[in-house]
Amino acid sequence: MAKRNAVRNNEARTGKTAVRRPLMTTQAWKAAVDDRTAHIGIIGMGYVGLPLMRTYCNAGFSCLGFDIDDRKVAQLNAGKSYIKHIPSAMIKDVVNAGWFRATSDPADLHSCDAILICVPTPLTRTREPDMTYVESTAHLLADHLQRGQLIVLESTTYPGTTRELIKPILETSGLKAERDFFLAYSPEREDPGRQDHTTATIPKVVGGFGPASKKIAAAVYGAAVSRVVPVKSCEVAEASKILENVYRSVNIALVNELKLLFDRMDIDVWQVVEAASTKPFGYQPFYPGPGLGGHCIPIDPFYLTWKARQYDMSTRFIELAGEINTSMPEFVVAKVGEALNTKKKAINGSKVLVLGLAYKKDVDDIRESPSIELIELLRERGAKVDYNDPHIPKTPKQREHNLGMTSKKLTPAMLKSYDCVLIATDHTDYDYPWIVQHANLVVDTRNATKGVKTGRKKIVKA
Ligand SMILES: NC(=O)c1ccc[n+]([C@@H]2O[C@H](COP(=O)([O-])OP(=O)(O)OC[C@H]3O[C@@H](n4cnc5c(N)ncnc54)[C@H](O)[C@@H]3O)[C@@H](O)[C@H]2O)c1
């Protein structure tokens, strides 16, 4: 083991690719996994790929991170993180120890035994699966595929992707799945910012294209995570991930719809959820909010909707949940209007401070964040909008949006200068009693001010 690792470490240090011996049998794979000589390649060093690399390095494997973004590659090789909850110190440690190297040269993937794909799977403008990242990765791999390699797709996608899309592209290499290389699907279950689970402790569902692929993929994951859940096929694994996300989307929509009803009935939905949560069985709490955000819940269910059309089915729960969840920012803006009205003010011409730009608390990710929609809706109605987010000093350029805003520093005087403070994300760092004390009016979409005792008359829940 020491010898093979020395080769890998030398490779990581020198940037030169070592010659790999193909691991063609499950026994050879088992030995390479047991003695940690299997070299792990990860494609896409983002919110999923980086924690996965950490998990494999912690388990004693050497890793290669491949990304098409040269800036990320340079930052990683300099021991720097670009994701808030992944410390630079960790990256520096594994780079300095020779356990990890990043690259944008696909030829470096020749040295990897297992290659795990963690590239984005967004929606197109017409809300259909955008498979361009997955497809281009598959083409790139087909050009560099080596006998005996294990290829695993981790990106969230519709059932059938691995077999119908990835396999034919990889086989243009002349190598056959299950005979010359191994192919599997294992969905990522990353939840950025979560403290009670890590990539290593979250059970990993694994579906193989064939029995050998399944066995080898299960062994590769089993060495790094606490529990592997092998399933019958890639399709079962793909569908299980979509089910998890549909489940969240539908239940969040349910509680969001109840929020609208209970608001009219003058019942506090958060108190209702808290009371219902005391039932020790048969109920799991979901919380209302200003709308869905993040890379997963607002997007992934529509991968299934798209696939269902090929089977002459419409996924009515998914569509309805999407409709309700995407209407939530409009409800929040209406609430801001009502709240300002009580002060004899209109949205038009008012100064509004949005607190929290991230799609959920304590993360620095603004993908699909409802805060962006809130800012745009308020601006359309003539409000002058600023934001504060301790995790996002300035708004990054996105595919659909480029707000070009910078986070405003919170002070008592600045809070007072806004007609309305809109809590869109309940970051832990915020001092809510202090915010309420200095604000003129607070619209709270997250029940973040629950514990605030003084100044409750200034608070409107939305
Ligand atoms: N972020 C999450 O919490 C989360 C959770 C579960 C599942 N997922 C799924 O995991 C997948 C990846 O999501 P993410 O959040 O890590 O995305 P991300 O945008 O943070 O990272 C993706 C990375 O892939 C790189 N990339 C894009 N195309 C590439 C290519 N052709 N070759 C190599 N690198 C390429 C990008 O530069 C980026 O660094 C998606 O399918 C997503 O749905 C994400």
PDB file of all heavy atoms in Angstrom, residues 345-378:
ATOM      1  N   LYS A 345     -47.706  54.109   3.683  1.00  0.00           N
ATOM      2  CA  LYS A 345     -46.668  54.125   2.654  1.00  0.00           C
ATOM      3  C   LYS A 345     -47.009  53.108   1.565  1.00  0.00           C
ATOM      4  O   LYS A 345     -47.758  52.166   1.809  1.00  0.00           O
ATOM      5  CB  LYS A 345     -45.312  53.767   3.252  1.00  0.00           C
ATOM      6  CG  LYS A 345     -44.747  54.882   4.113  1.00  0.00           C
ATOM      7  CD  LYS A 345     -43.434  54.517   4.710  1.00  0.00           C
ATOM      8  CE  LYS A 345     -42.937  55.679   5.551  1.00  0.00           C
ATOM      9  NZ  LYS A 345     -41.828  55.336   6.407  1.00  0.00           N
ATOM     10  N   ALA A 346     -46.392  53.294   0.403  1.00  0.00           N
ATOM     11  CA  ALA A 346     -46.557  52.336  -0.693  1.00  0.00           C
ATOM     12  C   ALA A 346     -45.218  51.662  -0.955  1.00  0.00           C
ATOM     13  O   ALA A 346     -44.171  52.184  -0.548  1.00  0.00           O
ATOM     14  CB  ALA A 346     -47.003  53.071  -1.953  1.00  0.00           C
ATOM     15  N   ILE A 347     -45.260  50.530  -1.641  1.00  0.00           N
ATOM     16  CA  ILE A 347     -43.990  49.897  -2.028  1.00  0.00           C
ATOM     17  C   ILE A 347     -43.226  50.868  -2.923  1.00  0.00           C
ATOM     18  O   ILE A 347     -42.015  51.057  -2.762  1.00  0.00           O
ATOM     19  CB  ILE A 347     -44.251  48.559  -2.771  1.00  0.00           C
ATOM     20  CG1 ILE A 347     -44.833  47.523  -1.803  1.00  0.00           C
ATOM     21  CG2 ILE A 347     -42.948  48.031  -3.383  1.00  0.00           C
ATOM     22  CD1 ILE A 347     -45.128  46.165  -2.444  1.00  0.00           C
ATOM     23  N   ASN A 348     -43.944  51.467  -3.843  1.00  0.00           N
ATOM     24  CA  ASN A 348     -43.334  52.433  -4.765  1.00  0.00           C
ATOM     25  C   ASN A 348     -42.702  53.579  -3.964  1.00  0.00           C
ATOM     26  O   ASN A 348     -43.390  54.286  -3.240  1.00  0.00           O
ATOM     27  CB  ASN A 348     -44.424  52.969  -5.713  1.00  0.00           C
ATOM     28  CG  ASN A 348     -43.812  53.645  -6.916  1.00  0.00           C
ATOM     29  OD1 ASN A 348     -42.626  53.964  -6.927  1.00  0.00           O
ATOM     30  ND2 ASN A 348     -44.617  53.856  -7.935  1.00  0.00           N
ATOM     31  N   GLY A 349     -41.404  53.701  -4.081  1.00  0.00           N
ATOM     32  CA  GLY A 349     -40.704  54.786  -3.391  1.00  0.00           C
ATOM     33  C   GLY A 349     -40.186  54.405  -2.013  1.00  0.00           C
ATOM     34  O   GLY A 349     -39.405  55.156  -1.421  1.00  0.00           O
ATOM     35  N   SER A 350     -40.582  53.239  -1.481  1.00  0.00           N
ATOM     36  CA  SER A 350     -40.093  52.847  -0.151  1.00  0.00           C
ATOM     37  C   SER A 350     -38.708  52.217  -0.245  1.00  0.00           C
ATOM     38  O   SER A 350     -38.334  51.654  -1.269  1.00  0.00           O
ATOM     39  CB  SER A 350     -41.043  51.838   0.495  1.00  0.00           C
ATOM     40  OG  SER A 350     -42.204  52.488   0.941  1.00  0.00           O
ATOM     41  N   LYS A 351     -37.975  52.322   0.873  1.00  0.00           N
ATOM     42  CA  LYS A 351     -36.654  51.673   0.952  1.00  0.00           C
ATOM     43  C   LYS A 351     -36.823  50.339   1.683  1.00  0.00           C
ATOM     44  O   LYS A 351     -37.307  50.315   2.824  1.00  0.00           O
ATOM     45  CB  LYS A 351     -35.687  52.565   1.742  1.00  0.00           C
ATOM     46  CG  LYS A 351     -35.052  53.682   0.911  1.00  0.00           C
ATOM     47  CD  LYS A 351     -34.064  54.466   1.765  1.00  0.00           C
ATOM     48  CE  LYS A 351     -32.772  53.702   1.978  1.00  0.00           C
ATOM     49  NZ  LYS A 351     -31.871  54.356   2.926  1.00  0.00           N
ATOM     50  N   VAL A 352     -36.427  49.259   1.028  1.00  0.00           N
ATOM     51  CA  VAL A 352     -36.587  47.928   1.636  1.00  0.00           C
ATOM     52  C   VAL A 352     -35.210  47.277   1.747  1.00  0.00           C
ATOM     53  O   VAL A 352     -34.429  47.271   0.779  1.00  0.00           O
ATOM     54  CB  VAL A 352     -37.527  47.024   0.791  1.00  0.00           C
ATOM     55  CG1 VAL A 352     -37.679  45.655   1.435  1.00  0.00           C
ATOM     56  CG2 VAL A 352     -38.894  47.682   0.606  1.00  0.00           C
ATOM     57  N   LEU A 353     -34.932  46.729   2.931  1.00  0.00           N
ATOM     58  CA  LEU A 353     -33.674  45.990   3.133  1.00  0.00           C
ATOM     59  C   LEU A 353     -34.003  44.502   3.221  1.00  0.00           C
ATOM     60  O   LEU A 353     -34.741  44.076   4.119  1.00  0.00           O
ATOM     61  CB  LEU A 353     -32.996  46.442   4.432  1.00  0.00           C
ATOM     62  CG  LEU A 353     -31.699  45.709   4.781  1.00  0.00           C
ATOM     63  CD1 LEU A 353     -30.568  46.092   3.822  1.00  0.00           C
ATOM     64  CD2 LEU A 353     -31.274  45.993   6.225  1.00  0.00           C
ATOM     65  N   VAL A 354     -33.475  43.718   2.304  1.00  0.00           N
ATOM     66  CA  VAL A 354     -33.697  42.262   2.342  1.00  0.00           C
ATOM     67  C   VAL A 354     -32.572  41.641   3.178  1.00  0.00           C
ATOM     68  O   VAL A 354     -31.388  41.815   2.869  1.00  0.00           O
ATOM     69  CB  VAL A 354     -33.716  41.668   0.910  1.00  0.00           C
ATOM     70  CG1 VAL A 354     -33.759  40.144   0.954  1.00  0.00           C
ATOM     71  CG2 VAL A 354     -34.915  42.205   0.130  1.00  0.00           C
ATOM     72  N   LEU A 355     -32.955  40.930   4.230  1.00  0.00           N
ATOM     73  CA  LEU A 355     -31.954  40.243   5.063  1.00  0.00           C
ATOM     74  C   LEU A 355     -31.843  38.792   4.622  1.00  0.00           C
ATOM     75  O   LEU A 355     -32.808  38.037   4.716  1.00  0.00           O
ATOM     76  CB  LEU A 355     -32.356  40.290   6.537  1.00  0.00           C
ATOM     77  CG  LEU A 355     -32.192  41.612   7.277  1.00  0.00           C
ATOM     78  CD1 LEU A 355     -32.400  41.408   8.775  1.00  0.00           C
ATOM     79  CD2 LEU A 355     -30.818  42.234   7.031  1.00  0.00           C
ATOM     80  N   GLY A 356     -30.663  38.418   4.152  1.00  0.00           N
ATOM     81  CA  GLY A 356     -30.429  37.041   3.722  1.00  0.00           C
ATOM     82  C   GLY A 356     -30.664  36.868   2.235  1.00  0.00           C
ATOM     83  O   GLY A 356     -31.788  37.030   1.749  1.00  0.00           O
ATOM     84  N   LEU A 357     -29.587  36.583   1.519  1.00  0.00           N
ATOM     85  CA  LEU A 357     -29.689  36.374   0.072  1.00  0.00           C
ATOM     86  C   LEU A 357     -29.591  34.883  -0.253  1.00  0.00           C
ATOM     87  O   LEU A 357     -30.101  34.423  -1.264  1.00  0.00           O
ATOM     88  CB  LEU A 357     -28.550  37.133  -0.610  1.00  0.00           C
ATOM     89  CG  LEU A 357     -28.792  37.574  -2.031  1.00  0.00           C
ATOM     90  CD1 LEU A 357     -29.962  38.547  -2.097  1.00  0.00           C
ATOM     91  CD2 LEU A 357     -27.542  38.245  -2.590  1.00  0.00           C
ATOM     92  N   ALA A 358     -28.936  34.139   0.616  1.00  0.00           N
ATOM     93  CA  ALA A 358     -28.749  32.695   0.389  1.00  0.00           C
ATOM     94  C   ALA A 358     -30.107  32.001   0.395  1.00  0.00           C
ATOM     95  O   ALA A 358     -31.048  32.472   1.034  1.00  0.00           O
ATOM     96  CB  ALA A 358     -27.866  32.112   1.479  1.00  0.00           C
ATOM     97  N   TYR A 359     -30.194  30.841  -0.274  1.00  0.00           N
ATOM     98  CA  TYR A 359     -31.489  30.182  -0.358  1.00  0.00           C
ATOM     99  C   TYR A 359     -31.903  29.532   0.949  1.00  0.00           C
ATOM    100  O   TYR A 359     -33.075  29.229   1.159  1.00  0.00           O
ATOM    101  CB  TYR A 359     -31.519  29.157  -1.506  1.00  0.00           C
ATOM    102  CG  TYR A 359     -30.828  27.846  -1.227  1.00  0.00           C
ATOM    103  CD1 TYR A 359     -31.509  26.779  -0.651  1.00  0.00           C
ATOM    104  CD2 TYR A 359     -29.481  27.665  -1.531  1.00  0.00           C
ATOM    105  CE1 TYR A 359     -30.879  25.573  -0.391  1.00  0.00           C
ATOM    106  CE2 TYR A 359     -28.848  26.466  -1.287  1.00  0.00           C
ATOM    107  CZ  TYR A 359     -29.546  25.429  -0.719  1.00  0.00           C
ATOM    108  OH  TYR A 359     -28.917  24.246  -0.453  1.00  0.00           O
ATOM    109  N   LYS A 360     -30.919  29.305   1.842  1.00  0.00           N
ATOM    110  CA  LYS A 360     -31.275  28.812   3.177  1.00  0.00           C
ATOM    111  C   LYS A 360     -30.228  29.283   4.170  1.00  0.00           C
ATOM    112  O   LYS A 360     -29.174  29.801   3.782  1.00  0.00           O
ATOM    113  CB  LYS A 360     -31.422  27.301   3.197  1.00  0.00           C
ATOM    114  CG  LYS A 360     -30.137  26.555   2.994  1.00  0.00           C
ATOM    115  CD  LYS A 360     -30.366  25.088   3.279  1.00  0.00           C
ATOM    116  CE  LYS A 360     -29.067  24.330   3.173  1.00  0.00           C
ATOM    117  NZ  LYS A 360     -29.158  22.955   3.567  1.00  0.00           N
ATOM    118  N   LYS A 361     -30.517  29.056   5.459  1.00  0.00           N
ATOM    119  CA  LYS A 361     -29.667  29.682   6.460  1.00  0.00           C
ATOM    120  C   LYS A 361     -28.239  29.127   6.491  1.00  0.00           C
ATOM    121  O   LYS A 361     -28.011  27.931   6.226  1.00  0.00           O
ATOM    122  CB  LYS A 361     -30.299  29.581   7.842  1.00  0.00           C
ATOM    123  CG  LYS A 361     -30.376  28.234   8.460  1.00  0.00           C
ATOM    124  CD  LYS A 361     -30.638  28.446   9.942  1.00  0.00           C
ATOM    125  CE  LYS A 361     -31.509  27.397  10.539  1.00  0.00           C
ATOM    126  NZ  LYS A 361     -31.786  27.604  11.940  1.00  0.00           N
ATOM    127  N   ASP A 362     -27.316  30.009   6.788  1.00  0.00           N
ATOM    128  CA  ASP A 362     -25.922  29.678   7.071  1.00  0.00           C
ATOM    129  C   ASP A 362     -25.148  29.091   5.901  1.00  0.00           C
ATOM    130  O   ASP A 362     -24.126  28.427   6.108  1.00  0.00           O
ATOM    131  CB  ASP A 362     -25.820  28.746   8.300  1.00  0.00           C
ATOM    132  CG  ASP A 362     -26.509  29.345   9.516  1.00  0.00           C
ATOM    133  OD1 ASP A 362     -26.670  30.579   9.546  1.00  0.00           O
ATOM    134  OD2 ASP A 362     -26.891  28.583  10.425  1.00  0.00           O
ATOM    135  N   VAL A 363     -25.635  29.297   4.671  1.00  0.00           N
ATOM    136  CA  VAL A 363     -24.857  28.883   3.495  1.00  0.00           C
ATOM    137  C   VAL A 363     -24.587  30.111   2.621  1.00  0.00           C
ATOM    138  O   VAL A 363     -25.195  31.169   2.806  1.00  0.00           O
ATOM    139  CB  VAL A 363     -25.556  27.770   2.656  1.00  0.00           C
ATOM    140  CG1 VAL A 363     -25.818  26.534   3.494  1.00  0.00           C
ATOM    141  CG2 VAL A 363     -26.835  28.265   2.013  1.00  0.00           C
ATOM    142  N   ASP A 364     -23.643  29.943   1.674  1.00  0.00           N
ATOM    143  CA  ASP A 364     -23.297  31.066   0.794  1.00  0.00           C
ATOM    144  C   ASP A 364     -23.761  30.805  -0.641  1.00  0.00           C
ATOM    145  O   ASP A 364     -23.183  31.311  -1.586  1.00  0.00           O
ATOM    146  CB  ASP A 364     -21.779  31.310   0.819  1.00  0.00           C
ATOM    147  CG  ASP A 364     -20.999  30.080   0.371  1.00  0.00           C
ATOM    148  OD1 ASP A 364     -21.609  29.022   0.152  1.00  0.00           O
ATOM    149  OD2 ASP A 364     -19.765  30.180   0.231  1.00  0.00           O
ATOM    150  N   ASP A 365     -24.808  30.015  -0.788  1.00  0.00           N
ATOM    151  CA  ASP A 365     -25.285  29.581  -2.096  1.00  0.00           C
ATOM    152  C   ASP A 365     -26.560  30.351  -2.440  1.00  0.00           C
ATOM    153  O   ASP A 365     -27.538  30.302  -1.680  1.00  0.00           O
ATOM    154  CB  ASP A 365     -25.567  28.065  -2.009  1.00  0.00           C
ATOM    155  CG  ASP A 365     -25.838  27.431  -3.362  1.00  0.00           C
ATOM    156  OD1 ASP A 365     -26.006  28.172  -4.344  1.00  0.00           O
ATOM    157  OD2 ASP A 365     -25.890  26.184  -3.409  1.00  0.00           O
ATOM    158  N   ILE A 366     -26.572  31.065  -3.578  1.00  0.00           N
ATOM    159  CA  ILE A 366     -27.792  31.827  -3.917  1.00  0.00           C
ATOM    160  C   ILE A 366     -28.546  31.207  -5.094  1.00  0.00           C
ATOM    161  O   ILE A 366     -29.467  31.813  -5.622  1.00  0.00           O
ATOM    162  CB  ILE A 366     -27.494  33.311  -4.217  1.00  0.00           C
ATOM    163  CG1 ILE A 366     -26.660  33.484  -5.492  1.00  0.00           C
ATOM    164  CG2 ILE A 366     -26.830  33.998  -3.064  1.00  0.00           C
ATOM    165  CD1 ILE A 366     -26.751  34.900  -6.034  1.00  0.00           C
ATOM    166  N   ARG A 367     -28.167  29.995  -5.507  1.00  0.00           N
ATOM    167  CA  ARG A 367     -28.834  29.400  -6.667  1.00  0.00           C
ATOM    168  C   ARG A 367     -30.335  29.245  -6.400  1.00  0.00           C
ATOM    169  O   ARG A 367     -30.724  28.686  -5.384  1.00  0.00           O
ATOM    170  CB  ARG A 367     -28.205  28.049  -7.008  1.00  0.00           C
ATOM    171  CG  ARG A 367     -26.841  28.234  -7.657  1.00  0.00           C
ATOM    172  CD  ARG A 367     -26.173  26.924  -7.932  1.00  0.00           C
ATOM    173  NE  ARG A 367     -25.807  26.222  -6.709  1.00  0.00           N
ATOM    174  CZ  ARG A 367     -25.232  25.039  -6.702  1.00  0.00           C
ATOM    175  NH1 ARG A 367     -24.984  24.415  -7.823  1.00  0.00           N
ATOM    176  NH2 ARG A 367     -24.918  24.470  -5.559  1.00  0.00           N
ATOM    177  N   GLU A 368     -31.150  29.742  -7.286  1.00  0.00           N
ATOM    178  CA  GLU A 368     -32.619  29.674  -7.213  1.00  0.00           C
ATOM    179  C   GLU A 368     -33.171  30.334  -5.948  1.00  0.00           C
ATOM    180  O   GLU A 368     -34.313  30.067  -5.552  1.00  0.00           O
ATOM    181  CB  GLU A 368     -33.120  28.209  -7.261  1.00  0.00           C
ATOM    182  CG  GLU A 368     -32.604  27.384  -8.403  1.00  0.00           C
ATOM    183  CD  GLU A 368     -33.117  27.837  -9.760  1.00  0.00           C
ATOM    184  OE1 GLU A 368     -34.278  28.206  -9.856  1.00  0.00           O
ATOM    185  OE2 GLU A 368     -32.307  27.823 -10.713  1.00  0.00           O
ATOM    186  N   SER A 369     -32.378  31.175  -5.296  1.00  0.00           N
ATOM    187  CA  SER A 369     -32.836  31.738  -4.024  1.00  0.00           C
ATOM    188  C   SER A 369     -34.063  32.617  -4.229  1.00  0.00           C
ATOM    189  O   SER A 369     -34.077  33.491  -5.105  1.00  0.00           O
ATOM    190  CB  SER A 369     -31.728  32.574  -3.390  1.00  0.00           C
ATOM    191  OG  SER A 369     -32.236  33.221  -2.246  1.00  0.00           O
ATOM    192  N   PRO A 370     -35.108  32.429  -3.374  1.00  0.00           N
ATOM    193  CA  PRO A 370     -36.285  33.298  -3.498  1.00  0.00           C
ATOM    194  C   PRO A 370     -35.954  34.763  -3.215  1.00  0.00           C
ATOM    195  O   PRO A 370     -36.684  35.651  -3.645  1.00  0.00           O
ATOM    196  CB  PRO A 370     -37.269  32.735  -2.463  1.00  0.00           C
ATOM    197  CG  PRO A 370     -36.527  31.766  -1.635  1.00  0.00           C
ATOM    198  CD  PRO A 370     -35.276  31.373  -2.361  1.00  0.00           C
ATOM    199  N   SER A 371     -34.855  35.017  -2.507  1.00  0.00           N
ATOM    200  CA  SER A 371     -34.474  36.414  -2.215  1.00  0.00           C
ATOM    201  C   SER A 371     -34.265  37.188  -3.513  1.00  0.00           C
ATOM    202  O   SER A 371     -34.580  38.379  -3.594  1.00  0.00           O
ATOM    203  CB  SER A 371     -33.179  36.464  -1.399  1.00  0.00           C
ATOM    204  OG  SER A 371     -33.329  35.749  -0.214  1.00  0.00           O
ATOM    205  N   ILE A 372     -33.711  36.525  -4.515  1.00  0.00           N
ATOM    206  CA  ILE A 372     -33.450  37.197  -5.798  1.00  0.00           C
ATOM    207  C   ILE A 372     -34.782  37.614  -6.422  1.00  0.00           C
ATOM    208  O   ILE A 372     -34.947  38.739  -6.892  1.00  0.00           O
ATOM    209  CB  ILE A 372     -32.708  36.237  -6.775  1.00  0.00           C
ATOM    210  CG1 ILE A 372     -31.460  35.650  -6.133  1.00  0.00           C
ATOM    211  CG2 ILE A 372     -32.417  36.908  -8.116  1.00  0.00           C
ATOM    212  CD1 ILE A 372     -30.332  36.604  -5.933  1.00  0.00           C
ATOM    213  N   GLU A 373     -35.736  36.690  -6.386  1.00  0.00           N
ATOM    214  CA  GLU A 373     -37.076  36.966  -6.928  1.00  0.00           C
ATOM    215  C   GLU A 373     -37.729  38.107  -6.148  1.00  0.00           C
ATOM    216  O   GLU A 373     -38.349  39.002  -6.734  1.00  0.00           O
ATOM    217  CB  GLU A 373     -37.902  35.668  -6.801  1.00  0.00           C
ATOM    218  CG  GLU A 373     -39.340  35.762  -7.224  1.00  0.00           C
ATOM    219  CD  GLU A 373     -39.554  35.506  -8.708  1.00  0.00           C
ATOM    220  OE1 GLU A 373     -38.575  35.163  -9.377  1.00  0.00           O
ATOM    221  OE2 GLU A 373     -40.705  35.674  -9.157  1.00  0.00           O
ATOM    222  N   LEU A 374     -37.567  38.079  -4.812  1.00  0.00           N
ATOM    223  CA  LEU A 374     -38.158  39.137  -3.982  1.00  0.00           C
ATOM    224  C   LEU A 374     -37.578  40.495  -4.363  1.00  0.00           C
ATOM    225  O   LEU A 374     -38.314  41.481  -4.503  1.00  0.00           O
ATOM    226  CB  LEU A 374     -37.891  38.851  -2.490  1.00  0.00           C
ATOM    227  CG  LEU A 374     -38.645  37.657  -1.893  1.00  0.00           C
ATOM    228  CD1 LEU A 374     -38.150  37.339  -0.490  1.00  0.00           C
ATOM    229  CD2 LEU A 374     -40.147  37.938  -1.870  1.00  0.00           C
ATOM    230  N   ILE A 375     -36.264  40.550  -4.535  1.00  0.00           N
ATOM    231  CA  ILE A 375     -35.619  41.826  -4.897  1.00  0.00           C
ATOM    232  C   ILE A 375     -36.165  42.315  -6.244  1.00  0.00           C
ATOM    233  O   ILE A 375     -36.518  43.490  -6.397  1.00  0.00           O
ATOM    234  CB  ILE A 375     -34.080  41.655  -4.947  1.00  0.00           C
ATOM    235  CG1 ILE A 375     -33.539  41.454  -3.531  1.00  0.00           C
ATOM    236  CG2 ILE A 375     -33.413  42.855  -5.622  1.00  0.00           C
ATOM    237  CD1 ILE A 375     -32.063  41.101  -3.455  1.00  0.00           C
ATOM    238  N   GLU A 376     -36.275  41.400  -7.193  1.00  0.00           N
ATOM    239  CA  GLU A 376     -36.747  41.807  -8.526  1.00  0.00           C
ATOM    240  C   GLU A 376     -38.199  42.271  -8.485  1.00  0.00           C
ATOM    241  O   GLU A 376     -38.554  43.289  -9.088  1.00  0.00           O
ATOM    242  CB  GLU A 376     -36.560  40.656  -9.520  1.00  0.00           C
ATOM    243  CG  GLU A 376     -35.083  40.494  -9.848  1.00  0.00           C
ATOM    244  CD  GLU A 376     -34.802  39.416 -10.876  1.00  0.00           C
ATOM    245  OE1 GLU A 376     -35.652  38.545 -11.077  1.00  0.00           O
ATOM    246  OE2 GLU A 376     -33.704  39.458 -11.462  1.00  0.00           O
ATOM    247  N   LEU A 377     -39.055  41.552  -7.739  1.00  0.00           N
ATOM    248  CA  LEU A 377     -40.469  41.938  -7.660  1.00  0.00           C
ATOM    249  C   LEU A 377     -40.622  43.298  -6.977  1.00  0.00           C
ATOM    250  O   LEU A 377     -41.422  44.142  -7.413  1.00  0.00           O
ATOM    251  CB  LEU A 377     -41.264  40.877  -6.882  1.00  0.00           C
ATOM    252  CG  LEU A 377     -41.489  39.537  -7.584  1.00  0.00           C
ATOM    253  CD1 LEU A 377     -42.165  38.542  -6.643  1.00  0.00           C
ATOM    254  CD2 LEU A 377     -42.345  39.718  -8.830  1.00  0.00           C
ATOM    255  N   LEU A 378     -39.849  43.509  -5.915  1.00  0.00           N
ATOM    256  CA  LEU A 378     -39.942  44.789  -5.198  1.00  0.00           C
ATOM    257  C   LEU A 378     -39.456  45.938  -6.073  1.00  0.00           C
ATOM    258  O   LEU A 378     -40.050  47.016  -6.095  1.00  0.00           O
ATOM    259  CB  LEU A 378     -39.122  44.726  -3.890  1.00  0.00           C
ATOM    260  CG  LEU A 378     -39.747  43.872  -2.778  1.00  0.00           C
ATOM    261  CD1 LEU A 378     -38.728  43.551  -1.696  1.00  0.00           C
ATOM    262  CD2 LEU A 378     -40.960  44.593  -2.171  1.00  0.00           C
TER     263      LEU A 378
END
